[in-house]
Amino acid sequence: MADQFQMTGHEDPDDALVERLRIAGLRPTRQRLALAEILFGQGDRHVTAESLREEVVDAGHSMALATIYNTLHQFTRAGLLRELAVEGTKSYFDTNLSNHSHFLHEETGEVVDVPGNSIEIAGLPKPPDGTEITHVDVIVRVRTRR
């Protein structure tokens, strides 16, 4: 899905983002466009609402943290982001929608993708009647060797 939104260099980035939001069923408001530009303009990445707020401020925008949270959840429901709940109440948002696993560095809180398909999952349970498994989240916790 993400590949269909790669820009060729001939279109205005704002036009591509407007189209991306519209395809996802979201109205391209000024705030959504500002967040989309920051989120999707740098390749695959993992952000928290707090880290994204720092980037918003650095980019010269003014936006409440609640607005950022709401927009991240809207983007997730629309299929533009994947939410990773890794630290109880702390959520990371991933722009890479493919099925993949993650490393979580316990000391820094940094989340990075596990390369390739190096994790195999076998023996998944049968889902409850009327449901299907959409994906499995695997988070491998790491720390600096002592």
Side-chain angles (χ1 to χ4, degrees):
M1 182 172 162
D3 288 342
Q4 88 185 62
F5 296 108
Q6 294 293 322
M7 294 191 300
T8 63
H10 299 293
E11 59 277 294
D12 182 338
D14 287 340
D15 291 344
L17 289 174
V18 166
E19 185 65 13
R20 186 172 191 175
L21 292 177
R22 286 190 174 138
I23 288 171
L26 296 172
R27 194 166 51 89
T29 64
R30 181 181 51 80
Q31 290 172 319
R32 285 181 184 146
L33 283 169
L35 289 176
E37 183 176 345
I38 292 168
L39 278 168
F40 305 118
Q42 301 177 32
D44 291 334
R45 54 194 294 220
H46 309 91
V47 298
T48 63
E50 293 79 10
S51 69
L52 186 58
R53 182 153 195 275
E54 289 177 23
E55 292 184 54
V56 165
V57 170
D58 289 346
H61 302 289
S62 176
M63 200 174 303
L65 186 58
T67 300
I68 293 171
Y69 268 109
N70 289 338
T71 305
L72 287 169
H73 288 292
Q74 290 167 354
F75 284 6
T76 300
R77 283 191 301 275
L80 297 173
L81 294 174
R82 182 172 160 195
E83 183 175 7
L84 307 167
V86 297
E87 292 282 48
T89 60
K90 189 168 192 174
S91 289
Y92 290 81
F93 295 87
D94 190 349
T95 60
N96 179 351
L97 301 177
S98 71
N99 235 352
H100 65 284
S101 301
H102 297 92
F103 287 115
L104 169 65
H105 195 289
E106 291 181 333
E107 296 157 325
T108 65
E110 181 183 16
V111 173
V112 296
D113 293 343
V114 171
N117 294 324
S118 58
I119 294 179
E120 293 183 25
I121 299 177
L124 289 175
K126 180 182 179 294
D129 289 342
T131 66
E132 65 182 355
I133 296 172
T134 58
H135 64 272
V136 175
D137 288 325
V138 175
I139 298 174
V140 180
R141 295 173 180 272
V142 298
R143 69 175 177 220
T144 305
R145 227 176 264 200
R146 296 180 183 174

